[in-house]
Structure formats: C-alpha cells, structure tokens
Amino acid sequence: MNIENTESQMKKGLLELCILGIIRKETEAYPSDILEQLKSSKLVVLEGTLYPLLTRLKNAGLLSYRWEESPSGPPRKYFALTEEGEAIYEKLKTAWTELSTSVNHLTTTL
C-alpha cells in the first residue's frame, strides 16, 4: 500500500473546507496568504493546486473577489466568501465534525 498516496487523497478531500475556513476567518484573503496558512498548519499545497481550486470555488458561486493595486507589483486579487460560500462552509464543517468524531471513535483503542 502506498501510504503517501492515501495521505495525499485524504488531504485533497479536506482542502476546500480548509480554504473556505481561512478565507472566512480573514474576511478576505490573498492566495499567497492562504498558502502560508496552509503551510503553517502542515498542509503544504502548491500554487498550481490552489489557483484552479479558487477558480472552481468562484465559478461555483462560493467565492467573490476584488482587485487591489499593489505598490510593489501587479494588482492583487483578494477572495471572500459569498453567502452561498458561507452556507457551504458551515455544512462542510458539520460534515467534517461528524466524520472526524466517527473516525476517532473507530480508531481509538479501548
């Protein structure tokens, strides 16, 4: 069994929840800040993974964005949760809580 592949698939399954949670906590977030927070939580994600995911979440109506001029380079795109994004985040968070409780129960030795 390839443990690295299994671990990677588990992380991918939770990435949307984590990204929505970061953006929700910050009210809005710049992609490099999202990457930094993921990295500091030991969820290392590459830019090539994050940007398509942000685009998919935006196209699904879960995120909005705004451009802000940057004094040191090109304009920056900041993402925020929409009302629908907030509702989906809450549902995902509830599902994760229930799932993690079940997994903890099943994997804890008595």
Side-chain angles (χ1 to χ4, degrees):
M1 178 175 188
N2 184 340
I3 191 68
E4 291 84 13
N5 184 48
T6 302
E7 186 178 326
S8 174
Q9 291 302 314
M10 290 186 332
K11 287 179 182 179
K12 284 180 185 177
L14 294 170
L15 196 52
E16 289 180 7
L17 171 61
C18 293
I19 290 170
L20 292 174
I22 290 167
I23 295 170
R24 181 178 185 266
K25 182 174 66 172
E26 302 297 325
T27 307
E28 64 179 10
Y30 183 62
S32 65
D33 296 333
I34 295 170
L35 287 170
E36 187 58 39
Q37 287 194 45
L38 290 168
K39 183 179 176 183
S40 71
S41 295
K42 299 195 183 346
L43 290 174
V44 178
V45 176
L46 302 174
E47 284 185 33
T49 300
L50 179 63
Y51 283 99
L53 182 51
L54 289 171
T55 299
R56 188 162 43 88
L57 293 171
K58 179 188 70 67
N59 290 344
L62 306 182
L63 298 178
S64 61
Y65 67 89
R66 70 175 179 83
W67 288 99
E68 183 176 295
E69 291 298 322
S70 171
S72 61
R76 294 179 168 199
K77 187 186 273 190
Y78 287 86
F79 289 89
L81 263 62
T82 62
E83 285 184 30
E84 185 177 355
E86 180 74 34
I88 293 296
Y89 168 77
E90 291 298 335
K91 288 178 183 178
L92 288 173
K93 187 176 167 189
T94 298
W96 166 247
T97 300
E98 292 171 358
L99 180 61
S100 65
T101 299
S102 297
V103 170
N104 287 334
H105 175 74
L106 292 170
T107 58
T108 302
T109 49
L110 301 175

